């Protein structure tokens, strides 16, 4: 079974631009979570989507948004880029299902490295 | 809010030695999940091991095992017969159970850079 894939792998943007990152989960996984990794702040949770609905969101400004499609693929958008948005953005998928009590393990993609100049 | 603390920023051991990475966490939850992930230079985050708080038995995966002390809120990772390929950043992570329809993400520690010397 193929793992989580993320595109593009590398991206260079300038301040003020916007960017869209894409994530395709493991086949059958309906939950997709996004994380930001920086040297200063470490790994921080952005948001989680399940069945096209955002179920939870981390402490990030409204410039960070996302969506999920009916095939569980997810996109993350950052508008009005700032220098501090330079980071590795990681996507993770898990085999969540409606009504289950147990949380599932999250499996990560290779990440998208974003550099804002 | 949960916090995860990894007190060892960097560790270095010789190949074939055993090494233990420390992790402590703070939570008011009774049921939760703990993980160790490794991130080699490729930056791909790879699951090492998972532990459910309601299970008393410590999880093991081949050369990797944990020492889960719920009362002490401690979750250390032991790597036996270490190999050069074990060189990586190791992150301890905490996950809450479902609450009110929401699904919180993982809370990570700052990581321990483990170097296996030949």
């Amino acid at each position: 079974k193929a793992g989580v894939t993320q595109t593009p792998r590398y991206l260079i943007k300038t301040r003020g631009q916007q960017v869209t990152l894409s994530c395709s989960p493991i086949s059958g996984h309906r939950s997709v979570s996004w994380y930001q990794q920086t040297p200063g702040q470490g790994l921080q949770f952005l948001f989680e989507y399940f069945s096209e609905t955002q179920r939870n969101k981390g402490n990030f400004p409204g410039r960070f948004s996302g969506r999920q499609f009916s095939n569980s693929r997810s996109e993350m958008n950052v508008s009005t880029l700032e220098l501090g948005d330079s980071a590795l953005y990681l996507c993770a998928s898990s085999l969540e299902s409606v009504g289950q009590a147990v949380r599932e393990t999250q499996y990560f993609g290779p990440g998208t490295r974003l550099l804002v100049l | 809010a949960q916090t995860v603390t990894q007190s060892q920023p960097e560790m270095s051991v010789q190949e074939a030695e055993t090494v233990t990475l420390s992790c402590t966490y703070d939570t008011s939850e009774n049921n939760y999940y703990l993980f160790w992930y490794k991130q080699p230079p490729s930056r791909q985050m790879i699951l090492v091991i998972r532990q459910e708080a309601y299970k008393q038995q410590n999880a093991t995966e081949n050369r990797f095992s944990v020492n889960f002390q719920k009362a002490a809120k401690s979750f250390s990772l032991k790597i036996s017969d270490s190999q050069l390929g074990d060189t990586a950043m190791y992150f301890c992570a905490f996950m809450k159970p479902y609450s009110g329809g929401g699904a919180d993400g993982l809370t990570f520690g700052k990581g321990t850079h483990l170097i296996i010397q030949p």
Side-chain angles (χ1 to χ4, degrees), chain A residues 35 37 40-41 43 45 48 55-56 88 96 100-106 108-110 113, chain B residues 33 35 37 39 43-45 47 50 91 95-98 101-106 108 110:
Chain A
Y35 296 84
Q37 185 176 22
Q41 299 299 315
L43 283 147
F45 170 68
E48 188 257 0
R55 292 198 298 187
N56 218 326
L88 179 68
E96 305 279 353
Q100 74 177 65
V102 177
R103 295 292 306 274
E104 297 288 346
T105 298
Q106 294 188 2
F108 286 80
R113 187 181 295 275
Chain B
Y33 308 83
F35 304 85
Y37 285 91
Q39 189 177 43
R43 308 304 299 275
Q44 172 83 53
M45 194 74 79
L47 174 71
R50 165 188 168 117
F91 292 96
M95 179 187 282
K96 286 172 59 177
Y98 289 112
D104 286 356
L106 291 160
F108 287 89
K110 292 294 186 183

Side-chain angles (χ1 to χ4, degrees), chain B residues 23-88:
Chain B
C23 172
T24 58
Y25 57 93
D26 187 26
T27 184
S28 58
E29 303 283 345
N30 186 47
N31 290 322
Y32 48 86
Y33 308 83
L34 295 165
F35 304 85
W36 280 98
Y37 285 91
K38 66 180 278 190
Q39 189 177 43
S42 67
R43 308 304 299 275
Q44 172 83 53
M45 194 74 79
I46 301 165
L47 174 71
V48 175
I49 205 162
R50 165 188 168 117
Q51 175 80 45
E52 291 87 351
Y54 58 85
K55 291 185 179 178
Q56 292 189 342
Q57 186 172 7
N58 289 324
T60 62
E61 285 289 343
N62 301 312
R63 298 182 294 108
F64 299 88
S65 61
V66 297
N67 183 3
F68 173 49
Q69 301 289 328
K70 190 174 183 180
K73 295 181 181 175
S74 170
F75 183 60
S76 61
L77 174 69
K78 186 172 84 170
I79 305 174
S80 303
D81 186 27
S82 57
Q83 301 174 359
L84 297 179
D86 295 333
T87 294

Side-chain angles (χ1 to χ4, degrees), chain A residues 31 42 62 87 107:
Chain A
S31 170
Y107 297 92

